[in-house]
Amino acid sequence: MKKLPISIFLLVMLMAVVSAITSYKATSTRISEDVNNALALTKYQMPCDVVSADTIRCYRNNITIVELRDTACLAMRTVRKGNHQETELIAEANCDFTTVFMLSDQRASASLVVIGMLWLIGSTLYVRRHRPELIVQGIVYGGLIFNNDRFCNATGERIHLTPMQHTLLEMFLKSDDHTLTKQEICDRLWPKKPDANDTLYTLIRRIKPIIEANSNLKIESDRGRSYSLEVR
């Protein structure tokens, strides 16, 4: 769930990019068709093979996209047809990327960008408002947060532990060097049990994956004599 807001934002942004590219390509095609139609109409109106200033003026007047009239031009191109070469008149729009982009309809992509940004801002504010409040007096270590007698990960989500696991993790965090001897743990958790080694081993084995999944910490053993909570 915590990845859903950013996933939706990225999806909306992807849709905006696709929409922008589609509109840009459609406009490029429309520009090409417009100048070619203008050339065909010019050849009909002025059938002379000589390109003059009047030919250029007529050609530009036949262009329906007004923004192209100052840049569009005519050019002669040599092509091979069979065993001989011929020259033909071609139309060129001579417009750059910015011009094509400005001529394209980007309202859909712009709307998607706005929607995506509003979603990102709104979801961020929502997460901040609804996650547990962290006070200065809390303990923070390796992405693990202990505050108001509960444990949370770095995003503020509560970590659910059994009472024994909770007490053990609290002991680790409150220890100066985050290291506890086996005797310290057993005396605190099982003061009336003569031999709690197996019980301690089971507790450590079960809490290890919980700690590693919710923080940058791990539990290391020193030859079975003590345990340390260390940053990975």
Side-chain angles (χ1 to χ4, degrees):
M1 287 296 293
K2 61 185 179 181
K3 294 182 179 180
L4 182 61
I6 190 66
S7 298
I8 293 179
F9 169 73
L10 293 176
L11 177 61
V12 174
M13 290 297 103
L14 178 61
M15 293 169 60
V17 171
V18 172
S19 176
I21 294 174
T22 301
S23 180
Y24 181 89
K25 289 183 177 180
T27 301
S28 297
T29 301
R30 183 166 62 91
I31 289 173
S32 179
E33 292 175 349
D34 190 33
V35 294
N36 287 328
N37 289 338
L39 175 58
L41 187 57
T42 301
K43 288 181 177 180
Y44 175 78
Q45 295 172 340
M46 303 183 67
C48 180
D49 293 335
V50 179
V51 178
S52 63
D54 291 336
T55 307
I56 299 296
R57 189 179 302 109
C58 179
Y59 162 68
R60 288 181 173 177
N61 289 336
N62 287 330
I63 295 175
T64 60
I65 302 176
V66 179
E67 291 81 0
L68 302 178
R69 291 179 177 175
D70 292 335
T71 59
C73 65
L74 296 174
M76 300 299 296
R77 181 176 62 183
T78 302
V79 296
R80 177 174 294 277
K81 292 185 178 181
N83 296 325
H84 63 283
Q85 292 182 336
E86 293 184 1
T87 57
E88 62 177 13
L89 195 61
I90 62 172
E92 294 181 347
N94 282 339
C95 53
D96 55 15
F97 170 85
T98 303
T99 302
V100 179
F101 186 83
M102 294 300 293
L103 289 174
S104 61
D105 186 359
Q106 298 295 335
R107 288 175 294 181
S109 58
S111 298
L112 288 170
V113 170
V114 172
I115 292 173
M117 295 304 298
L118 290 176
W119 168 264
L120 183 62
I121 294 172
S123 58
T124 301
L125 293 176
Y126 178 86
V127 170
R128 288 183 177 179
R129 184 174 181 179
H130 289 80
R131 71 181 182 179
E133 293 294 334
L134 304 177
I135 61 176
V136 177
Q137 290 79 6
I139 301 174
V140 181
Y141 177 56
L144 192 66
I145 302 167
F146 179 65
N147 183 62
N148 291 334
D149 200 37
R150 62 183 176 184
F151 289 96
C152 299
N153 58 24
T155 62
E157 295 181 0
R158 186 169 184 175
I159 303 172
H160 298 284
L161 302 167
T162 65
M164 285 289 184
Q165 292 171 345
H166 186 284
T167 302
L168 176 60
L169 192 53
E170 182 179 351
M171 291 175 63
F172 273 123
L173 288 184
K174 290 185 176 180
S175 173
D176 291 336
D177 56 357
H178 306 295
T179 299
L180 301 170
T181 65
K182 290 175 59 177
Q183 194 62 45
E184 285 180 290
I185 300 173
C186 292
D187 289 346
R188 172 72 180 277
L189 299 181
W190 307 283
K192 298 180 179 181
K193 194 169 186 178
D195 186 2
N197 287 334
D198 291 342
T199 308
L200 173 58
Y201 174 78
T202 300
L203 177 61
I204 294 292
R205 178 172 56 84
R206 291 179 177 176
I207 199 175
K208 273 185 175 182
I210 299 176
I211 293 175
E212 293 177 2
N214 290 278
S215 68
N216 298 322
L217 301 172
K218 62 179 179 179
I219 295 179
E220 291 288 348
S221 173
D222 181 16
R223 299 178 182 178
R225 294 176 299 184
S226 63
Y227 293 96
S228 299
L229 189 63
E230 302 177 357
V231 178
R232 285 182 285 174

